[in-house]
Each structure stands twice: as structure tokens, then as C-alpha cells.
Amino acid sequence: MTELTPERMEHMATALEGSGRYRVLRPLAARVLEAYPPEPGTRLGMFLDLETTGLNAAKDEIIEFGIVPFVYTLEGRILGSLEPFSRLREPSCPIPAQITALTGITPEMVAGQSVTPEEVAGFVAPASLIIAHNASFDRKFAERFSPVFTTKPWACSMRDVDWAAEGYEGRKLSYLGMQSGFWFDGHRATDDCQAGIAILDRTLPVSGRPALAALLENARRILCRIWAENAPYEYKDMLRQRGYRWNDGTDGNPRAWSISLPEAEVEGELAFLSAEVYVRPVELPVTRITPWDRFSTRC
């Protein structure tokens, strides 16, 4: 009987794929660098994933930090990842059973474990960019834990790549991993980070660009958020269909419908609102959103 060595199994997988009748998922294999390479024109990014006791950053707590540094070029080529920051943290309240079921993190695992804001700040300080696969979630928790995260530009691997235009039917990390040809153990912070980096390392099937290049292009854009304060209630469906989202005001921003647009489109959108929604000239709040503000509670 032929021994199933890794080389033999890879040969079998390649043969199956070559038949055109099968697709084979391989385990995620992170490309790890021994040290920061001396190649010019590189930057240090950090992919961040947090496991928490719940969804509300105002009251729930972080129970696991996963931060994986990676080296990339300004054109969007990933050279590899470096030693991660992977730590558990005991919260001040019990971990809900549903969180343990989702993440596998038990009260026994976090007992006596702590992480200080100073440790995290020291690790994150060299980063040129922070990426998360749901930055609207992770950034709020991260900023509450350490102010270092307010000083960095952020990007979102879920929203800053137009996955639908590239032929993907979903944006979940596990789905994108499978479409990229690998599987991984999800819902542990460092594993999710390595999966996110590997997905951004792939060439997009339609545009032919590195996924990270598409993300960087979107992350560098300046956007403006228009707050349609006191918009008549009967126009809520129109606003929703146009891309507006409701904000309840609990985050310190206006209690209003809002939309984020490129700067060049703001004047036209304000004219539309005056003519079609308010039916009178109005002056509405407009928040300018830079890469340092995106996904935070400040905008």
C-alpha cells in the first residue's frame, strides 16, 4: 500500500483538480517571515480580530486579542506575516454560553489571564494600517481598550473589496477562504487574522488585481457623510433604497438617516435632498471621513 505522504496527497489533489470535476480545499498555510525584509517601499500592516463577550462595545468586553503583523508593498503585494500578538483576557463578567459555543473559549481558559492597554499599544505602534474583517465591530472595541487605535488608519476586508463584482456570492471570512481554495479553524482570533491576510493575498478573478490593492484603493479615499436630520418620516423608504442608513443617536452622532459618499458627489446629493425630500433649501451636517476616522464612533 502506497504511503500517503504530504507530497503524495498533494499530487492526488492536483490530479483531482486537473480532471475538471473536483475542487480541493487545502488547509491554510500562512507565509511567515523570519524578520522584516529589507525590501524598499514596504509597509507594516496589522490584521486584527477580537473575540468578545457580546456585540455591544459600550458594555461587552474583549476576551481574546489576535493581531497579526504583515509586510506589504504600496501596490498591494503581501510579502508575508510576522510573529502575532495572541492573548486571552479574563472579563469582569461571565462569558455567555453562546460565546463559548461560538469561539470555544471557556471561563477556565481565560481565568487569571490579562492584557494591558500598554502592551497592546506597544505592539500596534509601528503599524501603518489596521485591517479587520468587520472593522465597524472591531474598531469600537479596540478604541475603547486603547487609544492607540484612534491614531491609525483603518480598512475593512469585508467592505473595502467589492467581492460581489468579483463574482463572490458572500463576504463571510469562511466563505471567502473556501472560494480562495483553503479551509481554516474559524472563530479564534489569530486563525481568522491569518485567513484574512491569505484572502487579501489572492488575485481577484475578474479585475486580475491583488485583493489587497483593491482594499488599499478604497481605504485611501476621503468620504463625506451627510446627515439627513429631521427628514420627513414618509421618505424613510426612499432614503433606505437610496443607500441611507438609520442612526439612533446613541453613539454621539445625529439621530438621523445618513449616507457616505465621495466628496465630489456631496453637492449633488444635498441638492437632491433639498428638492425631493425637504422641498426647501436646507443646511445639513456633513462629516468628512478620513482613513483615520473610518468605522469609528466619531463618524
Side-chain angles (χ1 to χ4, degrees):
M1 182 176 177
T2 305
E3 181 184 358
L4 287 178
T5 63
E7 293 77 13
R8 175 63 179 167
M9 288 187 284
E10 179 60 31
H11 177 77
M12 294 166 64
T14 302
L16 287 169
E17 290 176 324
S19 71
R21 298 181 60 189
Y22 299 92
R23 297 184 66 189
V24 179
L25 297 180
R26 293 164 173 80
L28 171 62
R31 191 164 71 251
V32 180
L33 302 171
E34 292 184 2
Y36 196 107
E39 186 171 328
T42 60
R43 297 290 186 272
L44 184 68
M46 294 196 182
F47 205 106
L48 175 141
D49 185 72
L50 304 174
E51 303 298 343
T52 66
T53 58
L55 302 177
N56 189 335
K59 65 181 184 67
D60 291 312
E61 299 180 57
I62 298 168
I63 56 175
E64 185 177 27
F65 278 90
I67 310 174
V68 178
F70 65 97
V71 183
Y72 68 97
T73 69
L74 296 178
E75 295 76 30
R77 183 167 57 95
I78 294 177
L79 304 185
S81 62
L82 298 168
E83 187 69 25
F85 183 94
S86 179
R87 299 281 293 278
L88 292 169
R89 176 179 178 274
E90 184 177 17
S92 61
C93 58
I95 299 175
Q98 64 269 28
I99 298 298
T100 293
L102 178 67
T103 65
I105 300 174
T106 66
E108 292 75 22
M109 291 169 62
V110 300
Q113 302 292 321
S114 65
V115 183
T116 68
E118 292 75 20
E119 289 177 275
V120 174
F123 190 86
V124 170
S128 297
L129 176 69
I130 307 291
I131 303 176
H133 195 68
N134 185 2
S136 294
F137 172 84
D138 290 286
R139 182 164 193 173
K140 294 176 177 64
F141 278 93
E143 287 191 351
R144 185 175 174 227
F145 188 84
S146 172
V148 70
F149 291 105
T150 67
T151 68
K152 302 294 181 181
W154 280 68
C156 181
S157 54
M158 184 171 66
R159 292 174 55 184
D160 284 332
V161 178
D162 192 344
W163 297 110
E166 296 291 339
Y168 295 86
E169 296 179 357
R171 300 185 299 174
K172 287 185 64 175
L173 199 60
S174 57
Y175 173 83
L176 293 172
M178 287 190 293
Q179 292 298 107
S180 298
F182 66 84
W183 61 271
F184 66 101
D185 295 323
H187 293 300
R188 288 303 303 270
T190 302
D191 293 332
D192 285 356
C193 291
Q194 292 287 13
I197 293 169
I199 288 165
L200 292 175
D201 198 23
R202 296 300 197 270
T203 298
L204 295 171
V206 175
S207 64
R209 306 173 66 196
L212 181 63
L215 176 142
L216 291 174
E217 181 179 292
N218 285 318
R220 291 165 180 155
R221 291 190 306 163
I222 303 297
L223 297 177
C224 291
R225 179 164 296 167
I226 300 172
W227 300 93
E229 287 187 314
N230 302 312
Y233 179 79
E234 58 268 26
Y235 289 95
K236 64 180 179 63
D237 291 334
M238 175 196 288
L239 292 171
R240 184 183 293 112
Q241 292 170 6
R242 196 171 175 86
Y244 282 76
R245 301 177 64 182
W246 175 251
N247 186 70
D248 62 11
T250 57
D251 59 1
N253 287 308
R255 188 172 185 271
W257 291 95
S258 71
I259 191 170
S260 297
L261 299 169
E263 287 182 296
E265 298 178 18
V266 170
E267 185 176 345
E269 188 65 19
L270 291 173
F272 166 83
L273 290 170
S274 294
E276 302 296 334
V277 176
Y278 295 92
V279 201
R280 59 183 173 83
V282 290
E283 292 187 7
L284 298 173
V286 178
T287 305
R288 193 169 184 266
I289 305 171
T290 73
W292 283 262
D293 305 315
R294 302 172 79 229
F295 311 113
S296 75
T297 57
R298 298 186 301 279
C299 56

